[in-house]
């Protein structure tokens, strides 16, 4: 392993540096288990793209970093794999070599539909065979059984004394103890026992923004995208390993403009601008064109339709680079601050001024045109 105290590294010595990060997570209930499984897969492909588009985290522990998002920091802060589970030592006390941290991108697609081809699940999936046998023995299909059995390769992190002896037929606390500490980009959430809550999909990668308008724009976009996926049978599948590569790309500074991401069309690498706004050669119309055509059929009232189109316009400009991400704006603020010494150190004075400006933007007393353009807070 790499030695500590290397130059140009930022060392964070507590889990709170990761789990203290803010984010924008959204949970949606679908009509049935089949729809939830399909939507889970499709939005999992979108996770790295939305992470880059919402990038808001370039500063850690008082240093300006060379990444724009929080994800890997949280992933590292809660990575409790042993040396054996990391594959650095032969298995002796542990059962598995585990590919990823318990906070990471998804490891497998789970749809039962025909669009999911076996080659898309190209990451060798480690799963608990006893759990798998129990699930399939009870009638669960192979794909979904592997997904849930994969969760049980982890140890529970914490359990309350009054939750140890409970009736698993009436309460799902024991399952949720494992489920809720596998923090992936998307979470598949079964209905709790004895409730009228249905099958849900939680979309977890997005970074929180400074204003209600920006946060609402992303939430509404994902909500409508999920409906469009179901109604239009949209197919975004690419191999899981390509999704993982996209996650790495999403961390790079200003990747929303400077880098390319694998997308559905022949697993072609496309810029986020091309993914959202289309290609100039007409080969791909872009997601926003699909979304606008779809929403025109939803019979929104005039006010709702205008607001949704305003959200789409904002996202279009963020994808094209006409409006910068929060991370880019923060990076520029630090670099242009008179107290900055070009040494990555974000001093107390710079921090104070940056946070004050953030509060002003949130309250609407200061307008940042590069961040919001003509859009109100």
């Amino acid at each position: 392993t790499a030695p500590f105290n290397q130059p140009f590294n930022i060392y964070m010595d507590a889990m709170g540096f990761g789990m203290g990060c803010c984010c924008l997570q959204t949970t949606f209930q679908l009509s049935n288990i089949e729809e939830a499984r399909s939507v889970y897969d499709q939005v999992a492909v979108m996770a790295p793209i939305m992470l880059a588009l919402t990038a808001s985290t370039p500063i850690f522990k008082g240093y300006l970093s060379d990444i724009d998002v929080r994800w890997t920091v949280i992933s590292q802060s809660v990575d409790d794999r042993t040396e054996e589970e990391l594959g650095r030592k032969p298995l002796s006390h542990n059962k598995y070599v585990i590919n990823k941290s318990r906070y990471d991108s998804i490891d497998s697609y789970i749809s039962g539909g025909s669009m999911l081809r076996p080659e898309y699940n190209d990451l060798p999936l480690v799963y608990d065979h006893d759990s798998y046998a129990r699930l399939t023995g009870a009638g669960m299909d192979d794909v979904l059984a592997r997904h849930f059995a994969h969760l049980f390769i982890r140890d529970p992190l914490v359990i309350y004394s009054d939750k140890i002896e409970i009736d698993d037929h009436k309460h799902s606390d024991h399952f949720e103890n494992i489920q809720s500490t596998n923090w992936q980009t998307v979470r598949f959430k079964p209905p709790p026992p004895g409730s009228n809550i249905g099958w849900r999909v939680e979309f977890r990668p997005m970074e929180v923004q400074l204003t209600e308008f920006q946060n609402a724009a992303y939430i509404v976009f994902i909500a409508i995208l999920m409906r469009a996926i179901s109604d239009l049978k949209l197919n975004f599948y690419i191999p899981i390993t390509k999704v993982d590569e996209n996650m790495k790309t999403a961390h790079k500074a200003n990747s929303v403009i400077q880098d390319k991401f694998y997308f559905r069309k022949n697993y072609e690498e496309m810029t986020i601008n091309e993914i959202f706004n289309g290609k100039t050669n007409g080969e791909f119309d872009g997601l926003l064109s699909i979304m606008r055509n779809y929403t025109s059929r939803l019979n929104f009232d005039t006010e709702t339709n205008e607001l949704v189109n305003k959200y789409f316009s904002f996202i279009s400009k963020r994808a094209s680079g006409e409006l910068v991400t929060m991370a880019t704006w923060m990076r520029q603020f630090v670099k242009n601050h008179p107290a900055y010494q070009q040494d990555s150190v974000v001093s107390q004075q710079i921090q104070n001024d940056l946070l004050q400006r953030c509060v002003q933007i949130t309250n609407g007393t200061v307008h940042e045109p590069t961040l919001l353009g003509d859009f109100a807070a």
Side-chain angles (χ1 to χ4, degrees):
T1 60
F4 289 104
N5 297 320
Q6 295 298 295
F8 310 115
N9 288 345
I10 302 173
Y11 290 99
M12 291 170 271
D13 58 357
M15 177 184 174
F17 280 109
M19 283 301 189
C21 293
C22 296
C23 58
L24 184 64
Q25 296 173 351
T26 57
T27 300
F28 299 92
Q29 181 167 298
L30 287 305
S31 59
N32 53 54
I33 184 174
E34 289 79 14
E35 183 184 21
R37 291 172 67 174
S38 175
V39 166
Y40 172 97
D41 286 2
Q42 302 302 326
V43 296
V45 179
M46 291 297 301
I49 295 165
M50 296 306 297
L51 178 62
L53 189 66
T54 59
S56 302
T57 320
I59 301 170
F60 298 94
K61 203 180 180 183
Y63 292 96
L64 191 62
S65 73
D66 64 350
I67 62 174
D68 268 6
V69 298
R70 76 198 187 283
W71 196 269
T72 186
V73 174
I74 311 177
S75 178
Q76 294 175 61
S77 76
V78 298
D79 190 352
D80 60 348
R81 289 175 295 172
T82 66
E83 292 291 295
E84 293 180 14
E85 289 172 331
L86 287 165
R88 295 171 181 167
K89 292 182 179 179
L91 289 175
S92 175
H93 299 94
N94 299 112
K95 295 173 65 176
Y96 315 103
V97 175
I98 301 176
N99 294 321
K100 300 177 183 178
S101 166
R102 65 198 303 151
Y103 197 113
D104 217 308
S105 54
I106 70 163
D107 290 283
S108 66
Y109 296 121
I110 63 172
S111 172
S114 60
M115 285 194 295
L116 174 56
R117 303 206 302 256
E119 58 264 32
Y120 295 146
N121 274 327
D122 64 337
L123 185 71
L125 187 66
V126 182
Y127 61 92
D128 181 71
H129 290 266
D130 291 339
S131 299
Y132 173 81
R134 185 173 182 181
L135 292 167
T136 53
M140 186 176 289
D141 64 82
D142 172 75
V143 172
L144 195 58
R146 287 173 184 264
H147 164 77
F148 283 120
H150 171 68
L151 302 180
F152 283 86
I153 64 174
R154 313 280 183 181
D155 291 327
L157 292 182
V158 62
I159 190 166
Y160 296 102
S161 58
D162 61 341
K163 298 294 184 181
I164 297 175
E165 299 294 338
I166 58 174
D167 186 346
D168 289 326
H169 295 285
K170 297 180 179 179
H171 305 283
S172 58
D173 297 68
H174 288 163
F175 166 73
E176 292 296 343
N177 185 281
I178 296 293
Q179 160 96 331
S180 64
T181 53
N182 276 268
W183 298 284
Q184 297 179 323
T185 45
V186 188
R187 181 175 284 154
F188 183 67
K189 306 179 79 167
S195 77
N196 59 0
I197 298 173
W199 294 89
R200 294 150 295 150
V201 172
E202 182 182 6
F203 190 68
R204 301 172 45 80
M206 295 189 294
E207 307 233 301
V208 74
Q209 310 296 300
L210 283 180
T211 66
E212 292 180 358
F213 173 84
Q214 294 175 88
N215 289 318
Y218 289 123
I219 292 170
V220 168
F221 173 81
I222 292 297
I224 296 175
L225 178 63
M226 286 189 177
R227 288 193 60 179
I229 286 168
S230 294
D231 291 347
L232 304 179
K233 304 295 187 260
L234 298 179
N235 183 355
F236 299 146
Y237 277 121
I238 59 174
I240 285 282
T241 53
K242 297 296 185 187
V243 177
D244 287 346
E245 289 186 46
N246 282 350
M247 281 296 291
K248 293 177 182 177
T249 301
H251 283 79
K252 296 179 181 179
N254 206 24
S255 65
V256 67
I257 300 301
Q258 296 180 355
D259 292 284
K260 292 187 176 183
F261 295 76
Y262 291 103
F263 202 61
R264 170 63 186 173
K265 185 176 169 57
N266 300 320
Y267 317 143
E268 179 182 350
E269 286 186 293
M270 299 169 64
T271 65
I272 285 184
N273 184 40
E274 291 171 334
I275 292 170
F276 281 87
N277 294 318
K279 303 192 73 172
T280 54
N281 60 12
E283 289 184 358
F284 180 63
D285 291 336
L287 286 179
L288 287 171
S289 176
I290 296 171
M291 300 278 278
R292 288 188 177 105
N293 289 334
Y294 174 68
T295 54
S296 68
R297 298 155 35 190
L298 294 181
N299 297 318
F300 287 150
D301 60 62
T302 301
E303 183 179 0
T304 301
N305 192 60
E306 289 178 354
L307 182 58
V308 167
N309 282 321
K310 192 175 180 181
Y311 290 151
F312 287 172
S313 179
F314 164 74
I315 290 173
S316 173
K317 292 182 178 182
R318 179 64 60 83
S320 71
E322 182 177 341
L323 298 178
V324 300
T325 63
M326 177 69 181
T328 295
W329 175 81
M330 292 174 71
R331 194 179 295 279
Q332 292 172 347
F333 184 96
V334 171
K335 287 185 174 181
N336 293 330
H337 196 284
Y340 184 59
Q341 301 297 311
Q342 309 300 317
D343 56 0
S344 295
V345 175
V346 184
S347 66
Q348 190 68 57
Q349 180 184 350
I350 300 174
Q351 291 178 40
N352 291 344
D353 291 345
L354 175 60
L355 290 174
Q356 183 62 40
R357 182 61 58 85
C358 289
V359 170
Q360 292 169 338
I361 294 171
T362 299
N363 292 339
T365 57
V366 168
H367 183 74
E368 284 287 348
T370 61
L371 190 63
L372 283 168
D374 296 329
F375 300 99

